[in-house]
Amino acid sequence: MIVQEMRVAAIKNGTVIDHIPSEKLFQVVNLLQLEKMEAPVTIGFNLRSDKMQKKSIIKVVDKFFSDEELNQLSVVAPNVTLCIIRDYKVVEKKPVTMPEELINVVKCANPKCICNNEPMKTRFRVLDKQEGILQCHYCNKELLLQQVKLL
């Protein structure tokens, strides 16, 4: 069986999110609300990758994501690569890494925590990026990244 490589058209301006773990692709699509975008969006799923075996990729025309959106993305799919495209050229390429603190990104699992009972932003310190351990600023409860719920 001959497998041909698919070619996807280059974008003039916008963002490419590369090296998305394929099992996280649809979480990323939902998180970034790509289904609501007016601009063209190209999604590649289960693509061959030397680095990851298989990966997914998203290209969004004329969209540049905010720091807040990237912080949310870092919780769902840490270590993806973000490429900013202008005039068909990659002008910036960087890994999306989790910041030291997440503000208003995830919900505290402690029902008695003040941030669940008062109108205030949640705040979590990232204790361990490798293991994915977060700690609530208010009640000190520790959470694993795979257990958190996004706001």
Side-chain angles (χ1 to χ4, degrees):
M1 180 166 108
I2 297 174
V3 178
Q4 290 184 343
E5 218 169 290
M6 277 183 33
R7 290 202 168 265
V8 178
I11 60 176
K12 182 175 182 180
N13 295 300
T15 303
V16 176
I17 305 169
D18 198 1
H19 301 108
I20 303 167
S22 287
E23 66 274 9
K24 300 284 188 172
L25 174 67
F26 295 103
Q27 276 184 282
V28 172
V29 168
N30 288 332
L31 173 73
L32 298 175
Q33 299 181 354
L34 298 179
E35 72 279 3
K36 295 179 181 176
M37 292 203 172
E38 298 283 325
V41 176
T42 303
I43 297 173
F45 180 60
N46 281 341
L47 304 174
R48 191 173 51 97
S49 167
D50 293 333
K51 183 178 172 183
M52 303 173 62
Q53 316 288 313
K54 63 180 180 176
K55 68 175 182 176
S56 292
I57 189 170
I58 298 171
K59 291 184 175 190
V60 187
V61 174
D62 294 328
K63 171 69 176 165
F64 303 97
F65 294 97
S66 68
D67 286 343
E68 183 179 298
E69 290 168 314
L70 295 177
N71 286 344
Q72 290 179 325
L73 178 60
S74 75
V75 172
V76 172
N79 304 314
V80 299
T81 304
L82 189 77
C83 298
I84 305 299
I85 313 294
R86 296 196 192 277
D87 291 322
Y88 297 104
K89 292 185 176 106
V90 176
V91 295
E92 186 178 356
K93 184 175 185 175
K94 64 181 179 180
V96 174
T97 57
M98 198 175 308
E100 299 299 318
E101 186 174 53
L102 296 169
I103 298 174
N104 225 31
V105 175
V106 297
K107 180 177 174 54
C108 184
N110 177 0
K112 294 183 179 181
C113 182
I114 191 169
C115 69
N116 286 323
N117 295 294
E118 297 290 331
M120 60 196 320
K121 293 181 176 186
T122 64
R123 286 180 68 181
F124 284 86
R125 286 183 291 280
V126 179
L127 298 180
D128 188 328
K129 291 182 183 184
Q130 291 296 100
E131 297 295 320
I133 301 172
L134 309 177
Q135 182 181 43
C136 180
H137 172 78
Y138 304 107
C139 71
N140 293 323
K141 180 166 181 68
E142 289 186 12
L143 301 170
L144 292 174
L145 202 54
Q146 54 266 37
Q147 297 172 324
V148 299
K149 292 184 180 171
L150 294 171
L151 292 176

